[in-house]
Amino acid sequence: MSYAELHCLSNFTFLRGASHPEELVARAAELGYTALALTDECSLAGVVRAHTAAKACGMKLLVGSAFTLAEGLRLVVLATDRAGYGALSAFITHGRRNALKGRYRLALDDLASGLPGCLVLLLPDPLPTLAQARQIAARFPRRAWLAVERFRASDDAARLAALDALGEAAGLPRVAAGDVHMHVAHRRALQDTLTAIRLGVPLADAGAALHPNGERHLRALSDLATLYPAAWLAETLAVAARCSFSLDELRYEYPEELVPEGETPISHLRRLTEDGLARRFPEGPPVKVRALVEHELALIEELRYEPYFLTVHDIVRFARSRGILCQGRGSAANSAVCYALFITEVNPACMDMLFERFISKERNEPPDIDVDFEHERREEVIQYLYAKYSRDRAALAATVITYRPKSALRDVGKALGFDLDQVDRLARSTSWWDGRKVAPQRLIEAGFDPAHPKVRLLLERVEELLGFPRHLSQHVGGFVIARGRLSQLVPIENAAMPERTIIQWDKDDLDALGLLKVDVLALGMLSAIRRALDELGRLRGRRLDLSDIPSEDPAVYDMLGRADTVGVFQIESRAQMSMLPRMRPRNFYDLVIEVAIVRPGPIQGGMIHPYLRRRQGLEPVTYPSEAVRGVLERTLGVPIFQEQVMQLAIVAAGFTPGDADQVRRSMAAWRRRGGLEHFERRLIDGMRERGYEEGFAQQIFQQILGFGEYGFPESHAASFALLVYVSAWLKRHEPAAFACALLNSQPMGFYAPAQLVQDARRHAVEVRPVDVTTSAWDCTLEPAACDRQPALRLGLRMVKGLSLECGARVAAARAQKPFASVEDLARRGGLAAGDLKHLARAGALAALSGHRRQASWQVAGIEQNAPLALDVSEDAQPELLPLSEGQDVAADYAALGLTLGRHPLALLRPLLARRRLAAAEALRDLAHGRFACTAGLVVTRQRPGTASGVTFLTLEDETGPTNVIVWRDLAERQRRELLGARLLAVYGVLERQGEVVHLVAGRLQDLTPLLGRLVTHSRDFH
């Protein structure tokens, strides 16, 4: 006897299925099933994972979906062939697009077409009427069955007889099915918990919504034989035999309308490339670039990837036509063709990256180009794509949001009946760096006893739930664009954001099937660079662009060598600031390495110190073979880039390009699901057979694990390095414009506006306060005396609570004539009382009314609903005393998030001095190994994904920043102080490596009460 399960839900039927698709496939194979149908409810979101697992174990997978119609009927639809799959995918799309995100709406009338190429199972619960059964039989002649599902309930025999009679009367053959919700019976407790979470009630109140027993799992063939007549079990095999469709049949077809009539894709691409080369190289391209172009075009034509490059070119062309700054990156982006098409600004003459690493005949994978756009204008690009290709042909990829400890604790806690206060304490007890486990110590700290039965049950359910999909969200920008209807390829549904639609597959699913995705991404630094160039152009009367920034400026590299990089793209983190004085980059390729080297891959592989020693001439550059030299010579024999690790697997371990590509794909999924361990033995054995030492092989495997956490290819690093240089050049030569642009592009980066303003002032930038008589909405540049850098005027956007509309009204009224008084501002600007209060508290009315207290008094005297009161008052205004300096600083932070007065710690310095807490500048002169103690406002907390688990803090006082290292043990002991303090004292030992100075913490003390009413904020764990 054998069996095919035809009705099976995975955990992609969110909060119902209690097993991963892979678990269901593996269990079905273990039980000896002939086939398994994955039939998630109105969804194909989990089918790619099931498909991959089924291919690995030789199980036949049927592709289907379950539905509940508006009339109450429940159906399973199975695809028999490619046409049937397209009909099923379109049917799911129709139901999902017809409802809000996360729901669907379908009725019997939607089945009028009969879904050609599909089989239908009418489900028995609730029991259909005879009329309904006959209607299904009529719409799906010889393609419909009545499913019979038995769960050892007391009324099984009666239901069996009733269903048999119904099927006979309606002309529907009967077939066995299992309504499977889990791969094994012991997942029942988790399935009950998911039901309670879905319904938003405690388990104790779920009642009849819970299944009465645990029979909805994949059952042994012997059990099934006792439940169903042999004919009904055999019928499952007949149904499965009619389903021959496999996801391997899906073929992506590129859009074709980008090729003008009379041209071929390659002729059009060549013409665009030649036009671009003429613009890039007016005197003709260098021989190297010409050779690269010819080589790349030949390979693109052979693999028929022209439409992909034309699609990306069209997107970039649109953005540039609208003045939207953009930059391509990714595996195929840094090529000579992409440079000619203006997709990237990385000159191929300056790089040495083989095109075959990115587009390969052997790997047969689609190219990869990510394009970053200004983050506030990317929506224009997205809507252009929707308008050009329609929502029938274009949609964003999905991102599967999965349960992590915090969300799992919150949801399971509610389901198990913990009160809301307890649930909040449970959720707050864990941080992202605690990993995928909930440590009992965290619960003890939150006031829970891990040995208590209820808490123990909580931990068990949470451990099972971790990694389960919770819902589909939209990818950050991965677009899938099809030649025909995209819904014939993959279901489309509405996103939570208006005017957005997403497909039901994520990036890994698309990769597994080899389907094209173009990443349309947002990057805040591009917004900042565009704003800086525009503001400089406005001030100087001419338009500036990236091409106006001179290359390879020694002054820029001098600044980077000093780690003076607050606000600079990619290299403003503490780890990068520590690396820069040791690395001392002197050219563009040094920046490429700098961007990539401070990443988990090189760190966990122990590559940083060998590279630095070789760079500084302290260690010879050696290669274990000439083959390895060819891969590692440009990085002094040390693997730093993702491509190098893949190439080493080929040249040193005997992997084929296809094997190496599998490593790459596994690296991409490693952090979420694991899956690299099986490569370890093969890699090490392959290297040993070729004469390499085991230590070298182990080191390479650690690199692969590190890249699984965060792989950084050379191609991405090169594109990012360009933005590093541009932003660094702006900071070095135009610090006012750079700071202005950063403030106007918030939130972004590691540093809050308070730190950006402090840094600008340290670079001799005059920063002027928000002033309603002068400030625009954005921060702006104003001429300064004596040919100095322009001054930076803070904009109305800095005032907390003030709306953009209010700022626009103020600017429009001021453009007509200057404001005479606060009353005049209120009347002509149409400002409500709340708007006036925000401006008064921010000190923005000082030019009209004096200090904050006086402004607040005047604002309080204006009655919003009495127009006559808005006339300029003739009454004498009382002269109020101004706020004290400390009160003013606190008010600045409350209203603006920063102060242009003295730093708060300058006011506290006498008190801190009595506690023997030194200022930051005093620490810089201390010798290595000296005990030191200091205090500062916590500016940033960073915990890179490295093996050591170190936390980096940046403290700030009136003399500058202090860099603090907190090791894991101290972080565990003083977790509350580490995470909760806003003013922190640190006692420890000074560590000096050249110009790099850290304070290694031995004890932390929370001094936040000294701040009084002053509220500050840090940027943590970016």
Side-chain angles (χ1 to χ4, degrees), residues 127 146 148 150 155-169 174 232:
L127 189 66
L146 178 62
V148 181
R150 297 192 65 184
D155 62 347
D156 261 10
R159 281 179 57 80
L160 196 68
L163 287 168
D164 196 23
L166 175 63
E168 189 68 31
R174 272 70 74 205
W232 295 1

Side-chain angles (χ1 to χ4, degrees), residues 320 323 530 533-534 537-538 541-545 548:
R320 294 188 188 280
R530 165 56 63 206
L533 294 174
D534 286 350
R538 182 189 64 80
R542 65 182 183 88
R543 179 178 174 79
L544 298 176
D545 212 330
D548 294 303

Side-chain angles (χ1 to χ4, degrees), residues 737-994:
F738 186 59
C740 179
L742 292 177
L743 292 173
N744 289 335
S745 302
Q746 293 296 302
M748 60 170 286
F750 283 89
Y751 301 97
Q755 284 72 58
L756 297 175
V757 167
Q758 292 281 353
D759 183 70
R761 296 173 85 181
R762 285 194 291 269
H763 288 79
V765 175
E766 179 189 355
V767 183
R768 296 171 178 173
V770 182
D771 184 345
V772 76
T773 67
T774 306
S775 293
W777 173 253
D778 282 335
C779 301
T780 54
L781 300 182
E782 297 178 350
C786 304
D787 295 326
R788 295 173 52 201
Q789 277 283 323
L792 167 57
R793 171 69 69 181
L794 297 181
L796 295 172
R797 64 160 48 239
M798 307 299 295
V799 178
K800 293 182 180 179
L802 200 67
S803 68
L804 174 60
E805 292 75 18
C806 176
R809 290 197 303 273
V810 169
R814 189 178 62 216
Q816 296 174 356
K817 66 175 182 178
F819 299 123
S821 64
V822 175
E823 292 86 351
D824 182 37
L825 164 68
R827 181 180 62 250
R828 292 199 292 117
L831 302 190
D835 297 328
L836 292 170
K837 288 178 181 177
H838 292 316
L839 291 167
R841 290 168 183 162
L845 302 180
L848 298 176
S849 59
H851 55 75
R852 273 193 177 90
R853 186 170 278 160
Q854 197 75 38
S856 296
W857 177 270
Q858 290 187 22
V859 165
I862 297 176
E863 296 179 16
Q864 179 184 359
N865 296 321
L868 293 177
L870 293 180
D871 291 337
V872 177
S873 173
E874 298 292 336
D875 297 336
Q877 297 289 328
E879 291 295 327
L880 303 177
L881 291 175
L883 299 176
S884 69
E885 185 180 13
Q887 291 172 325
D888 240 350
V889 169
D892 279 340
Y893 273 89
L896 298 167
L898 57 89
T899 185
L900 297 184
R902 285 204 294 168
H903 193 280
L905 264 65
L907 280 62
L908 292 175
R909 181 54 56 195
L911 183 59
L912 298 175
R914 287 198 293 273
R915 294 174 179 246
R916 299 182 182 275
L917 295 169
E921 65 180 3
L923 268 58
R924 295 172 202 141
D925 298 327
L926 294 181
H928 175 79
R930 282 283 303 275
F931 175 81
C933 48
T934 188
L937 298 177
V938 180
V939 172
T940 64
R941 295 175 176 90
Q942 297 171 38
R943 192 176 176 110
T946 58
S948 59
V950 65
T951 304
F952 294 107
L953 300 179
T954 301
L955 307 183
E956 179 191 81
D957 66 16
E958 73 276 25
T959 67
T962 299
N963 298 324
V964 178
I965 292 175
V966 182
W967 295 112
R968 185 196 298 271
D969 289 346
L970 180 62
E972 293 297 318
R973 292 198 310 272
Q974 293 200 262
R975 186 184 180 98
R976 185 189 64 80
E977 292 85 353
L978 176 64
L979 299 182
R982 290 185 286 116
L983 175 59
L984 186 68
V986 179
Y987 301 81
V989 176
L990 201 78
E991 185 178 275
R992 181 183 295 277
Q993 291 181 311

Side-chain angles (χ1 to χ4, degrees), residues 221-241:
L221 297 179
S222 57
D223 286 345
L224 294 169
T226 66
L227 292 171
Y228 298 103
W232 295 1
L233 294 170
E235 192 67 16
T236 67
L237 303 179
V239 172

Side-chain angles (χ1 to χ4, degrees), residues 40-109:
D40 283 312
E41 187 169 4
C42 199
S43 175
L44 295 178
V47 74
V48 178
R49 299 173 192 218
H51 168 74
T52 303
K55 286 180 68 175
C57 68
M59 167 65 64
K60 180 176 182 178
L61 179 72
L62 312 185
V63 177
S65 186
F67 305 91
T68 298
L69 304 183
E71 294 82 358
L73 283 183
R74 295 175 62 237
L75 307 171
V76 163
V77 178
L78 301 174
T80 64
D81 53 23
R82 176 63 181 88
Y85 172 82
L88 172 61
S89 179
F91 187 60
I92 294 172
T93 298
H94 177 68
R96 291 290 184 180
R97 292 296 312 278
N98 206 25
L100 296 175
K101 180 189 183 310
R103 303 179 185 177
Y104 69 96
R105 186 167 61 246
L106 291 164
L108 267 170
D109 287 346

Side-chain angles (χ1 to χ4, degrees), residues 109-142:
D109 287 346
D110 295 313
L111 292 169
S113 69
L115 298 181
C118 292
L119 309 180
V120 170
L121 276 60
L122 180 59
L123 296 177
D125 185 20
L127 189 66
T129 66
L130 178 58
Q132 290 173 328
R134 284 175 171 167
Q135 194 171 6
I136 293 297
R139 291 197 176 180
F140 298 91
R142 295 178 298 282

